[in-house]
């Protein structure tokens, strides 16, 4: 299979053989281009999935591996509201979702123990609910408290890009958009990222449900709506807090680049291709998290049938022995793909987080040195510093007046100092000269470089160099 992509003169081409490629998902972002039927057949032969997304988070199309389904399982899914399975599944999914929101609110992400405690208290009410409407009410109350804690989360941008960043982009604000009154049509970058990642999560839930033989549109918690995969939306509720944690971890630690986003005329914030392609690489993580939740859901629905198979096939996790009923439907997964680290000053790509690019580091060092030098000049010209220099000069002049050439040994002449002592001084350290002569470090450095000091210092220098008689 051959894939060609790019914008303008920046073109990319990939060639995949039939074996050994490791391709699991082909994610197309946007609505321009051509996909051949042969390419879709190639993906089906390789058990790879095809996903088509808009940059605003809309799922346009998904296809996955085609497997035979059990009509009895789908019939049980259709009767889930009469058999009680819909209520049990819905309560478990929302319980897991609120547990995740409680963790995000209380951990280092939002660090708000009060909100975490409130969500925990609301979550405890799930044990007493009796209808799906009561479950939805509990979820709604927890969501209002949870997203309210997000309002003041700061969003960082490189310092040099701040003049081009709208004020409402610099914090999370409200989850509801001013354009739509809901989460659709995000007006700031973080909500746009959340919408896009939720779209990726929805596609993984749809593919997981279809692979296990269920109907993605026939939900248990979400009401029936035209053109919506309600069951996929049900399953993704459990994984939403993991997506939230991923976004929080990124925006709290590293700045976002202004060039990753653009704003339409109506104020709708959209993702550029560079960021969208980076986020698309997280799909494998969400697939691993969705797999056990989907298999648990199938097991609950299958328990209401009279099929001979006691345990449905675990096609996603390949783990027949794992008992998911009553347990935590999460599995250990690798960390999602990290976004590109950028310099906090100019936004240039860097390798290590919380660092700056080479150019900004050099400029910062220059500014720091200039500041130190300026402060040093101010201090050196203060009255206190001038008083100290005056005392030192008076003491030096007094020592010069009190010194007499007769105190000098007859052998220690100017010629002896120049021929014997001075060539050895360069081997001495400034610290040794400073201690021995009781002079400043700067003056000691000048002596090492060849300056001839006052004759009263010659004897001390001769002793240091071992040339004294």
């Amino acid at each position: 299979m051959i894939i060609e992509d790019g914008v303008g003169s920046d073109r990319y081409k990939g060639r995949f053989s039939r074996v050994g490629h490791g391709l699991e998902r082909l994610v197309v972002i946007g609505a321009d281009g051509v996909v051949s039927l042969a390419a879709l057949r190639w993906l089906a032969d390789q058990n790879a999935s095809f996903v088509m997304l808009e940059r605003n988070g809309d799922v346009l199309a998904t296809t996955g591996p085609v497997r035979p389904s059990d009509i009895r399982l789908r019939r049980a899914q259709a009767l889930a509201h009469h058999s009680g399975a819909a209520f049990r599944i819905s309560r478990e999914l929302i319980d897991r979702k609120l547990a995740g929101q409680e963790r995000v609110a209380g951990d280092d992400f939002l660090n708000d123990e009060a909100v975490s405690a409130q969500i925990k208290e609301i979550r405890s009410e799930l044990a007493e609910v009796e209808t799906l409407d009561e479950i939805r009410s509990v979820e709604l109350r927890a969501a209002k408290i949870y997203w309210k804690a997000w309002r003041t989360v700061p969003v960082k941008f490189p310092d040099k890009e701040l003049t081009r960043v709208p004020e409402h982009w610099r914090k999370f604000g409200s989850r509801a958009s001013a354009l739509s009154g809901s989460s659709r049509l995000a007006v700031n970058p973080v909500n746009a990222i959340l919408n896009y990642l939720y779209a990726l999560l929805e596609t993984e839930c749809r593919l997981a449900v279809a692979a296990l033989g269920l109907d993605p549109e026939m939900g248990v918690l979400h009401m029936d709506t035209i053109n919506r995969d309600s069951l996929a939306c049900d399953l993704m509720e459990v994984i939403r807090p993991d997506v939230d944690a991923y976004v929080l971890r990124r925006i709290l630690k590293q700045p976002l680049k202004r060039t990753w986003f653009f704003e339409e005329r109506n104020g709708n914030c959209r993702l550029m291709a560079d960021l969208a392609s980076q986020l698309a690489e997280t799909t494998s993580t969400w697939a691993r998290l969705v797999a056990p939740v989907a298999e648990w859901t199938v097991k609950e629905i299958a328990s209401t049938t009279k099929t001979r198979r006691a345990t449905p096939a675990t096609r996603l996790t390949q783990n027949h022995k794992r008992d998911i009923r009553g347990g935590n439907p999460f599995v250990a997964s690798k960390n999602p793909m990290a976004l590109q680290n950028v310099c906090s000053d100019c936004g240039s790509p860097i390798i290590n987080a919380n660092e700056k690019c080479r150019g900004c580091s050099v400029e910062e060092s220059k500014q720091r040195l200039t500041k130190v030098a300026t402060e040093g000049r101010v201090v050196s010209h203060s009255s206190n510093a001038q008083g100290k220099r005056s005392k030192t000069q008076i003491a030096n002049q007094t020592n010069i007046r009190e010194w007499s050439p007769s105190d000098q040994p007859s052998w220690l002449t100017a010629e002896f100092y120049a021929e014997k002592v001075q060539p050895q001084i360069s081997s001495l350290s400034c610290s040794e000269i400073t201690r021995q002569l009781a002079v400043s470090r700067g003056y000691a450095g000048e002596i090492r470089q060849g300056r001839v000091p006052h004759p009263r210092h010659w004897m001390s220098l001769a002793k240091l160099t071992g040339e004294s008689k």
Side-chain angles (χ1 to χ4, degrees):
M1 184 175 66
I2 299 176
I3 300 176
E4 294 185 2
D5 182 30
V7 177
S9 60
D10 297 329
R11 311 300 298 180
Y12 306 94
K13 185 174 183 179
R15 187 182 182 92
F16 297 86
S17 60
R18 292 190 178 277
V19 294
H21 48 75
L23 182 64
E24 296 180 358
R25 299 284 186 276
L26 176 59
V27 181
V28 175
I29 304 167
D32 298 325
V34 176
V35 180
S36 68
L37 296 178
L40 294 178
R41 176 57 187 267
W42 186 95
L43 290 170
D45 290 341
Q46 310 306 314
N47 286 331
S49 303
F50 173 78
V51 178
M52 184 176 176
L53 304 174
E54 276 280 23
R55 291 195 182 95
N56 63 357
D58 290 339
V59 181
L60 300 180
T62 58
T63 65
V66 179
R67 295 188 176 93
S69 60
D70 189 343
I71 185 59
R72 293 170 296 182
L73 187 61
R74 294 207 176 197
R75 194 181 303 279
Q77 180 186 1
L79 298 174
H81 287 275
H82 300 283
S83 64
F87 176 79
R88 295 195 307 272
I89 294 171
S90 298
R91 182 167 61 178
E92 179 69 16
L93 294 180
I94 297 305
D95 181 69
R96 297 297 177 185
K97 176 184 179 179
L98 298 192
Q101 291 182 340
E102 178 186 337
R103 183 182 69 254
V104 172
D107 288 351
D108 294 337
F109 301 112
L110 293 177
N111 197 24
D112 195 329
E113 292 296 338
V115 171
S116 179
Q118 287 180 286
I119 295 176
K120 183 177 182 180
E121 183 178 354
I122 294 175
R123 179 191 172 201
S124 64
E125 298 177 12
L126 287 173
E128 301 177 359
V129 297
E130 296 180 353
T131 64
L132 288 175
D133 287 338
E134 291 177 347
I135 294 177
R136 296 186 186 105
S137 176
V138 169
E139 178 193 15
L140 179 60
R141 287 163 49 207
K144 289 181 178 179
I145 298 173
Y146 176 71
W147 290 114
K148 186 177 180 180
W150 280 63
R151 285 183 175 270
T152 57
V153 173
V155 182
K156 302 177 184 178
F157 286 89
D159 294 340
K160 294 182 180 179
E161 297 182 354
L162 289 179
T163 56
R164 300 190 298 112
V165 176
E167 187 65 31
H168 64 280
W169 283 20
R170 302 183 187 182
K171 62 179 181 180
F172 179 79
S174 173
R175 179 66 181 130
S177 169
L179 300 178
S180 64
S182 65
S183 59
R184 295 178 60 83
L185 300 179
V187 295
N188 60 38
V190 180
N191 276 295
I193 291 175
L194 282 174
N195 287 348
Y196 186 76
L197 288 175
Y198 288 156
L200 294 176
L201 176 59
E202 181 183 346
T203 62
E204 293 302 326
C205 290
R206 188 192 188 287
L207 292 171
V209 168
L212 293 174
L214 295 180
D215 187 341
E217 297 183 358
M218 198 182 305
V220 293
L221 178 63
H222 286 77
M223 295 181 179
D224 296 338
T225 303
I226 298 175
N227 297 327
R228 183 175 73 182
D229 297 329
S230 295
L231 184 58
C233 293
D234 292 340
L235 299 188
M236 64 184 289
E237 297 296 336
V238 180
I239 318 301
R240 283 180 185 266
D242 293 271
V243 176
D244 300 342
Y246 169 67
V247 174
L248 274 176
R249 184 185 297 112
R250 180 56 175 77
I251 66 175
L252 290 177
K253 289 186 177 181
Q254 276 282 293
L256 302 174
K257 291 185 67 174
R258 173 64 180 84
T259 54
W260 285 345
F261 311 93
F262 72 96
E263 192 175 36
E264 295 184 335
R265 289 183 298 174
N266 63 350
N268 182 205
C269 182
R270 303 284 293 273
L271 308 184
M272 295 295 286
D274 186 16
L275 177 60
S277 60
Q278 291 185 60
L279 293 174
E281 296 183 34
T282 64
T283 54
S284 59
T285 297
W286 315 133
R288 284 192 294 271
L289 288 173
V290 167
V293 182
E295 290 179 354
W296 175 83
T297 302
V298 171
K299 185 175 181 180
E300 286 296 310
I301 293 176
S303 66
T304 64
T305 68
K306 296 181 179 180
T307 59
R308 295 181 179 180
R309 179 186 295 171
T311 304
T314 54
R315 297 191 182 104
L316 304 179
T317 61
Q318 299 297 317
N319 188 0
H320 286 276
K321 297 180 180 180
R322 185 173 185 272
D323 183 15
I324 301 176
R325 180 191 292 268
N328 187 345
F330 285 104
V331 292
S333 66
K334 300 178 182 178
N335 292 328
M337 178 71 182
L339 292 184
Q340 182 186 75
N341 295 320
V342 298
C343 174
S344 59
D345 279 352
C346 66
S348 299
I350 57 177
I351 297 177
N352 299 322
N354 301 321
E355 292 185 359
K356 295 184 179 181
C357 66
R358 183 177 181 84
C360 292
S361 297
V362 172
E363 184 64 26
E364 184 180 14
S365 299
K366 288 181 179 178
Q367 293 177 358
R368 189 185 305 114
L369 290 174
T370 302
K371 181 180 179 181
V372 171
T374 303
E375 293 176 349
R377 283 195 296 269
V378 172
V379 172
S380 66
H381 287 79
S382 64
S383 58
N384 186 34
Q386 291 177 354
K388 290 182 178 180
R389 284 197 296 271
S390 177
K391 290 180 180 180
T392 301
Q393 291 174 359
I394 291 174
N396 288 337
Q397 292 300 323
T398 300
N399 292 334
I400 291 174
R401 286 195 301 270
E402 293 178 351
W403 179 81
S404 174
S406 61
D407 297 336
Q408 200 83 286
S410 58
W411 54 267
L412 188 52
T413 62
E415 292 77 10
F416 182 87
Y417 178 84
E419 296 177 1
K420 300 292 186 181
V421 179
Q422 194 169 20
Q424 305 296 327
I425 292 178
S426 61
S427 63
L428 302 176
S429 66
C430 288
S431 299
E432 291 177 305
I433 299 174
T434 299
R435 287 195 301 269
Q436 188 69 21
L437 305 186
V439 297
S440 68
R441 193 173 183 85
Y443 187 65
E446 293 179 2
I447 294 175
R448 287 185 73 247
Q449 293 176 0
R451 177 172 179 173
V452 179
H454 190 271
R456 74 181 190 277
H457 295 310
W458 290 359
M459 177 54 75
S460 298
L461 292 172
K463 290 180 179 179
L464 279 177
T465 57
E467 296 295 338
S468 62
K469 296 182 179 180

